[in-house]
Amino acid sequence: MSLQNIVTVQRNITGASIIVDGIPQTEVAYIIYSKNGNITAPVTLIPNFGCNASDFSKSGEGRIALVNRGGDCDTGKRLTLATAAGASGFILWDQDPTIFRNSFTNEIVETALGRHGPYDASKLVPSAVLGFREGQALVDKLQLKSNPSNKSITVIHKFRPETVSTVNLIATTKGGNQSAIITVGAHSDSVHTGPGINDDGTGVVAQIEVARALSKYSVNNAIRFCWWSAEEEGLKGSAYYADHLSKPEAAKIVMNLNFDMIGSPNNIYGVFDGGFSLDTSAGKGRAHIEQTILGYFKQIGKPTVKAAVDGRSDYGSFMKLNIPTGGIFTGAEGNKTVEEARLFGGKAGEPYDPCYHKACDNTKNVNYDAFLTGVKAFAYTVAKYAQNIEGVPFPR
Ligand code: DTR
Ligand code: ZN
Ligand code: ZN
């Protein structure tokens, strides 16, 4: 069974515009993660598709580089070369009629910086993409002697606020006691500055894999998989869910397991700290979950540290309902300590995830060993509580 709801959030979305001789162009797309900026400068058509540094030698400082998308190199590479050559802005003339559209705004979206990165467009000059027809008209003008476009072309890349509707995806096993539900969660959104592969593509994929594996078994207690939206906007998806649960529905939830960032490059294995307020049923439940996860790591001979339970992820929405929570976390923007480097290897004094909330949080940013261990710990924990919840105070 699956259930969806709609969570409305205000967020900044990105967009671009190009103005040629005072006329806003219509076939404009943005290069994702581009730097914000509003550049007015003359434009230079770059020869040979801009795949080599020498193509930019005549582009001139401070001008906007117009690059034909043909040839065989990444957009990210061309943007990097244009920036290095002193261009003030970058327009990709896209000859390819296959276009992407932003599903919320219907804007044309250029998503690809290329496969050979990592590129960080936010550190390069502001950029935009111009479609075939308008690009051709601009090139025709540039070939005229007295072309006005040599003086005034504007590229704007910006974030603008928008209200968008987002969806939590929630799927509960048909089998198992529907009055004793183990909820597990990961968030499907990312920050607008990056693709969010460690944060939280890892949790999203872990849940898919655990759900797939679980489909071969029967369960005594129901498992509810939740893919939360809008976590990065302030836990909005999970808060919506928690706020709209009736008292009887909330009473059916045994616990919440949270998986947010489980493949950090310079990882620790942080297990949510269950060790306080043992006089409450929520506290006892938390301690039980912590012991279960620690038991798994002990079995496989891997070290752990306590992860602070500071409510910085979706489990925070369940804590407010006094539902026991737990999970693992491999580290975000903080620096690994000397002691942690001794335990886990990796680099002391450097961030657990140097790409946290950045454009480089892509598939290359995942530590697949840590990720696999995290998925297995997750599977173990779900399997155990699917079988029995003995020792967890329930009903509360
Ligand atoms: N909420 C995460 C980052 C984060 C920070 N502390 C923790 C602890 C446990 C899980 C996640 C986190 C983010 O989405 O940015
Ligand atoms: Zn995040
Ligand atoms: Zn996250």
Side-chain angles (χ1 to χ4, degrees), residues 340-358:
E340 287 168 344
R342 196 185 57 73
L343 276 174
F344 301 99
K347 293 178 193 145
E350 291 192 20
Y352 306 112
D353 181 355
C355 288
Y356 177 66
H357 286 184
K358 293 192 183 138

Side-chain angles (χ1 to χ4, degrees), residues 248-287:
E249 286 303 313
K252 292 177 187 166
I253 297 178
V254 180
M255 65 176 67
N256 173 250
L257 304 172
N258 191 77
F259 297 85
D260 184 3
M261 305 186 73
I262 60 169
S264 303
N266 191 24
N267 77 291
I268 51 172
Y269 293 116
V271 178
F272 289 176
D273 185 2
F276 57 90
S277 59
L278 281 178
D279 46 341
T280 68
S281 72
K284 285 197 187 95
R286 278 172 48 173

Side-chain angles (χ1 to χ4, degrees), residues 377-391:
F378 178 7
Y380 174 90
T381 310
V382 168
K384 178 188 163 65
Y385 289 125
Q387 283 172 328
N388 80 77
I389 52 170
E390 245 164 70

Side-chain angles (χ1 to χ4, degrees), residues 219-264:
V219 292
N220 295 326
N221 303 307
I223 310 291
R224 177 169 293 164
F225 295 94
C226 308
W227 286 269
W228 305 120
S229 73
E231 190 266 359
E232 302 288 9
E233 315 299 319
L235 316 184
K236 292 232 169 100
S238 55
Y240 181 99
Y241 177 80
D243 291 348
H244 288 79
L245 271 179
S246 65
K247 272 229 161 78
E249 286 303 313
K252 292 177 187 166
I253 297 178
V254 180
M255 65 176 67
N256 173 250
L257 304 172
N258 191 77
F259 297 85
D260 184 3
M261 305 186 73
I262 60 169
S264 303

Side-chain angles (χ1 to χ4, degrees), residues 95-116:
Q95 308 266 6
D96 185 349
T98 53
I99 49 174
F100 301 92
R101 280 179 189 275
N102 181 315
S103 55
F104 294 130
T105 63
N106 210 32
E107 281 173 320
I108 302 169
V109 180
E110 171 55 49
T111 52
L113 281 172
R115 285 176 293 128
H116 305 288

